[in-house]
Amino acid sequence: MRAFLRLFDLDTSDPELIRAQFSSFQGHIPLLYGILVCNTVAITVTSFNSEQLVKTLFAPIAISGIAIIRAIWWLRQGDARKLSDTEIAKHLKRTCQLAVLMTLVFNAWVIWVYQDANAFARSNLTFFLALSQVSSVFCLMTLRAAAMLVAVVSTISFALYFSWVEGGQLLPQSLVLCCVCIGMAVVTHSFNRSFSEVVQSRRTLHIRQLETEKLSEENRRIAFSDPLSGLPNRRELLARLDRLDERKGLPPNSLAIVFIDLDGFKQINDEHGHHAGDELIRTVCQRLRAQCPDEAILARVGGDEFTVLLETEGPAENAQTAAVDLALRLLEQMSLPVLVDRHVLQISGSIGIASNSDAQAHPRELLRRADIAMYHAKTEGKAQLAIYSDELDKGRLRRIEIEGQIGTGLGRDEFEVVYQPIVEAASGAITSAEALLRWPRRKQGVLSPDEFIEVAEATGQIHPLGLYVLERACREIQPLGELCLSVNVSPAQFQQPGFERQVLSILHQTGFPPHRLQLEMTESYLLTNPGQAVKATDVLKAAGISLALDDFGTGFTSIHYLKSYGFTHIKIDKSLLSGLEPDSKATMLVAGAVTLATALDMKVIAEGVEHETQARILRDIGCHAMQGFLFGKPASLAQLERGLERAGKQQRQARRLRMVR
Ligand code: C2E
Ligand code: MG
Ligand code: MG
């Protein structure tokens, strides 16, 4: 029973459903009232009686008037979205009540007219009544309560009336009316259920659509931003550059790209783990962001690469000048220490700048140019900035060319190793030789080691080249008595995992005693990678190999600092020797270095000794060994052997002379 009564309940608990019902009513109710007015007019025409004006004219006018007013009201209801849920529920409730009221009024009027009508008018009345009933229920179908109430009210009133009049002759019509009512109720009920289901599935669909939109927005965000820093990534930067490119007529000097690459980030990652690396990146990002103007776009375009896209007003506000100002601030920020997991990490950054100063410099080209400039800043010693110029590009193309040639050169045996003697300062005896790489059989012409080694270091080709020099020099010098060997090692070689093992394996294969080998390295390795440097040098020292710091005096390393890394020798750079004259500042400087190194148990080798005066001064201030053109230029193994022979003979002669005297 309760379930039956619930069929007549107006359920307003689902706001979306009542909105859908309201929207469907906006089209159906005017139609319902239209049909009602037509039926009323039709009944009026067929039953008009001038003596019964109230019944056959005024009453239908009143009914039609109310119907027209309600139809107009519904037609004027515009966008349902402007109404609140409560307002909609209120309107539906009122519609429900009015539908019942109008049914009762219409039925009462029809019964009233029926009483005095002739047989023809009565059949018309029955037809119009049934028509009104069916059309009302169908038009109200989306609102179950209204449709059910209208069906029941109109059926009961007429079924009762028809059963009562004409001595029960119209009972069959009453029964048919009841059957039609039951049929309509069943159809209304199932239609209503389907309607709710459609609304429900539309809602589910809408929710899914929202979820999909959210998901695709999330995907877009992931695809175009860097998850670690939250900054735009390379793809986003390229998209922005393309959008800038589409904006024709960018004023010259209005766009600049600052390309930043962290120095020594890889080592921090290797040494302290990726967690520390991530932390460092986050801190660096914050620092960079804090320096960038609000409208500038800071992006993370690689593991340790960032770009800043700067747009200015054009000639009045030059983008390149703004970029240089910004880059200087960024360099300063990047050089500040970073605290990660109780470790103070020190890094720096190399910066390249390019601006749209010429017509060819479209946005993507600017990125390429800034990258080239950054690479230049890196190869020039890092922690600095470089501004793009066409010369840099030419240099880059040349480097690419050399890179390819080194690869083929190694395969074709175009490289050679030469040796420069190192003499003991006191006796002048050749005690050692430095192995130096040459490329004499290069098809395109001879290239200085400085030039091709720089390329090999940048491309990683220094690994096979370095091992080639070490292996060949060990093999060639091994038979030369007690002569020691000095081999240059680039910082990049030390960073190669397993480098120490490879050195020891070469010594083993060539039978070269470790105590005769000295590895020369520059201080840049110590500064960028102190932890790794200690580990690698410890293994080599433990094997008996000695370590020399090359080019001392060109950097800032103190002798104390060198000692802590286990260096046994320091090689004073030839640039310091140029002013070596009695009582000169250079002499005092070198003398100070020699005294300090000796006190710390380190030996000093002077490089680039060209004149006898320099040699004398160096001997006087206590320098241990010397190397330079004065004692021999870098030369082939055969020449070194001849030199050794000559020196041996001279020494034997000198000894004989001393004995004769
Ligand atoms: P370096 O290790 O400092 O080598 C000494 C450089 O000084 C050599 O130049 C040598 O020829 C030059 N030199 C020696 N005595 C004199 C002198 O009296 N006057 C002048 N003006 N120069 C002198 P080189 O052979 O051109 O090598 C240049 C640099 O290339 C080396 O500097 C070293 O850093 C690098 N290098 C050479 N061979 C190798 C190698 O096999 N591996 C690595 N990693 N680097 C190498
Ligand atoms: Mg050297
Ligand atoms: Mg040197």
Side-chain angles (χ1 to χ4, degrees), residues 434-436 487-488 520 550-551 571 607 627:
E434 178 174 2
L436 293 161
V487 178
N488 293 288
E520 295 184 11
D550 207 352
D551 303 341
K571 292 188 80 172
E607 278 188 304
Q627 174 184 358

Side-chain angles (χ1 to χ4, degrees), residues 650-661:
Q650 280 169 3
Q651 272 182 340
R652 279 195 295 277
Q653 259 177 2
R655 224 178 293 138
R656 238 180 280 131
L657 270 173
R658 275 202 298 274
M659 281 169 71
V660 171
R661 278 194 202 131

Side-chain angles (χ1 to χ4, degrees), residues 498-516:
F499 169 71
E500 307 89 87
R501 242 184 308 116
Q502 283 168 324
V503 172
L504 298 180
S505 145
I506 288 176
L507 291 183
H508 180 71
Q509 279 166 23
T510 54
F512 196 89
H515 73 269
R516 281 171 60 196

